[in-house]
Amino acid sequence: SKLTELETQRMIDECVNKRIREEMEKKDATIDAEVCRRVENAKQILERQMKDELNAKKMEMDREMAEQEEAHQTEIQSLQAIIEQLKSEQDEAKLRLDEERLEVVEAKTKNRRRTTSIRKRIEKERKNDSEPNFRKIRFKFTS
């Protein structure tokens, strides 16, 4: 009877220990599942925050790029206006230079004609007279 009692007590202890182990394993599994759920939750929150930060940085970079592009476009337009002004001034200077060259050519042509005319008169005078009479030759110098 004492032996039976000890055997019964041992079996009860084993059952209790087994039950305690099962309950602890079940509790551990529940805790592990809760830890995994919380870790996953925290991971998703972190990913969302990082994604939001990246989007904010991207938007800031896009805004800065747009500002830089606008500044470059303004600078390009300013430089194009300067180039057009310089081209216009260059064209005007070229036109003035061409006009001055034309005036010089016209003056030279006029002087050549005058010189040719004078030479012809002198030749004519020489033919008419054996001695040239320079007093009769009149020079016309007009601009």
Side-chain angles (χ1 to χ4, degrees):
S1 147
K2 193 83 167 150
L3 191 56
T4 313
E5 203 178 291
L6 283 174
E7 185 63 30
T8 306
Q9 187 61 43
R10 186 185 59 77
M11 286 172 68
I12 290 172
D13 285 345
E14 279 181 14
C15 279
V16 169
N17 284 338
K18 183 179 175 186
R19 178 84 172 149
I20 288 173
R21 264 195 316 267
E22 287 174 354
E23 285 297 319
M24 287 180 73
E25 287 173 2
K26 188 177 173 184
K27 186 76 167 171
D28 283 348
T30 304
I31 290 171
D32 284 347
E34 181 64 19
V35 167
C36 285
R37 186 187 68 76
R38 288 184 183 183
V39 166
E40 188 61 33
N41 242 357
K43 182 179 163 185
Q44 288 176 357
I45 290 170
L46 270 172
E47 284 177 354
R48 203 174 313 119
Q49 287 174 343
M50 288 174 64
K51 195 175 187 179
D52 290 346
E53 287 177 18
L54 284 174
N55 282 336
K57 284 181 182 179
K58 183 184 180 297
M59 287 174 62
E60 177 65 19
M61 288 175 66
D62 288 347
R63 186 189 60 75
E64 288 175 1
M65 291 282 286
E67 286 176 2
Q68 288 178 353
E69 180 66 25
E70 186 178 330
H72 287 131
Q73 287 301 324
T74 302
E75 187 175 348
I76 287 170
Q77 289 172 351
S78 173
L79 291 173
Q80 286 174 337
I82 290 170
I83 288 171
E84 288 302 317
Q85 178 66 30
L86 291 174
K87 281 182 181 178
S88 175
E89 289 173 7
Q90 182 183 22
D91 290 345
E92 289 173 12
K94 187 176 181 223
L95 184 62
R96 282 193 304 272
L97 184 62
D98 289 346
E99 288 172 352
E100 288 173 6
R101 285 179 180 161
L102 181 61
E103 288 174 6
V104 167
V105 167
E106 287 174 346
K108 284 181 179 179
T109 302
K110 192 174 185 180
N111 284 339
R112 281 189 201 124
R113 286 182 188 150
R114 235 186 253 142
T115 303
T116 304
S117 174
I118 291 171
R119 282 186 184 147
K120 284 181 182 178
R121 278 193 219 158
I122 291 173
E123 288 296 320
K124 188 177 179 183
E125 201 53 46
R126 281 185 186 164
K127 284 181 185 178
N128 291 339
D129 296 338
S130 54
E131 291 182 27
N133 187 354
F134 288 107
R135 284 186 227 151
K136 289 183 179 179
I137 299 173
R138 296 200 176 158
F139 296 94
K140 292 182 181 178
F141 291 102
T142 57
S143 316

